[in-house]
Amino acid sequence: MAAAIGAVCIGALLAGWAWTATTNTQEVLVARHSIERGSVIEADDLARVRLSADPALKPVTGSELDQVVGQRAAVDIAEGGMLTPGSFTDTVVPGEGESVVGVALTPAQAPGLDLQYGDKVRVVATPAQGDELPAGAPLTSDATVVGAHISDETGQTVVDLLVAKTDAAVLATRIATGNIALILDSRER
């Protein structure tokens, strides 16, 4: 009887070892709940799970938890989403010498394409309705999109623009007039 129990236990151990030796799983980090872009990632935000590894994926391994905690989410991470090296960053937006200026745009003021994080744009000062076009090139401000969404209340596209701190007040003043248009520049990097 003891020999049979011993044989069953040894068989179970060998089967477990064979399964772990032949499976292609690895421990990776996933989000326990949705993490918003820019949020500081806490240990409670993450879980370690075992997944089958696809060579095309570059997930953050479970052993890297300590390096991820304290970083900021570089993108919105959905609940259950697997972390990749591009999911987090140690840089803060806006950084030193930078400001974020928000602008609400009507469909006539914005490009028809969905704006994405990192898009390079120009804010162009336009004449007020009924005014003549100014002579020469219009006033423009260069910016980078760091957020965009449609307002539930107004239906306008609300865009967060990263600009140099020295340009923020001038740009905010132009935006306040409502006489602006947003131009999306090349997405080639």
Side-chain angles (χ1 to χ4, degrees), residues 60 86 120 131 138 173:
V60 176
K120 302 294 183 196
D131 287 354
T173 303

Side-chain angles (χ1 to χ4, degrees), residues 38-173:
S39 300
V40 175
I41 300 172
E42 305 289 338
D44 293 344
D45 296 332
L46 304 174
R48 293 178 177 155
V49 298
R50 292 198 72 77
L51 297 174
S52 294
D54 184 326
L57 299 176
K58 304 285 188 238
V60 176
T61 62
S63 63
E64 296 177 78
L65 177 69
D66 292 336
Q67 288 86 9
V68 175
V69 171
Q71 301 278 345
R72 293 189 179 271
V75 296
D76 291 331
I77 305 169
E79 180 179 350
M82 183 173 51
L83 270 69
T84 62
S87 301
F88 54 92
T89 182
D90 59 357
T91 58
V92 178
V93 174
E96 186 67 34
E98 298 175 326
S99 296
V100 173
V101 178
V103 57
L105 302 167
T106 65
Q109 294 173 302
L113 299 173
D114 288 335
L115 295 170
Q116 301 171 0
Y117 185 91
D119 279 343
K120 302 294 183 196
V121 296
R122 285 180 285 153
V123 181
V124 179
T126 60
Q129 190 170 3
D131 287 354
E132 291 190 28
L133 292 174
L139 299 173
T140 64
S141 297
D142 294 330
T144 303
V145 174
V146 293
H149 70 278
I150 305 295
S151 171
D152 293 334
E153 297 169 6
T154 64
Q156 292 181 315
T157 302
V158 179
V159 183
D160 294 322
L161 301 172
L162 182 67
V163 296
K165 185 177 181 178
T166 56
D167 298 338
V170 171
L171 181 57
T173 303

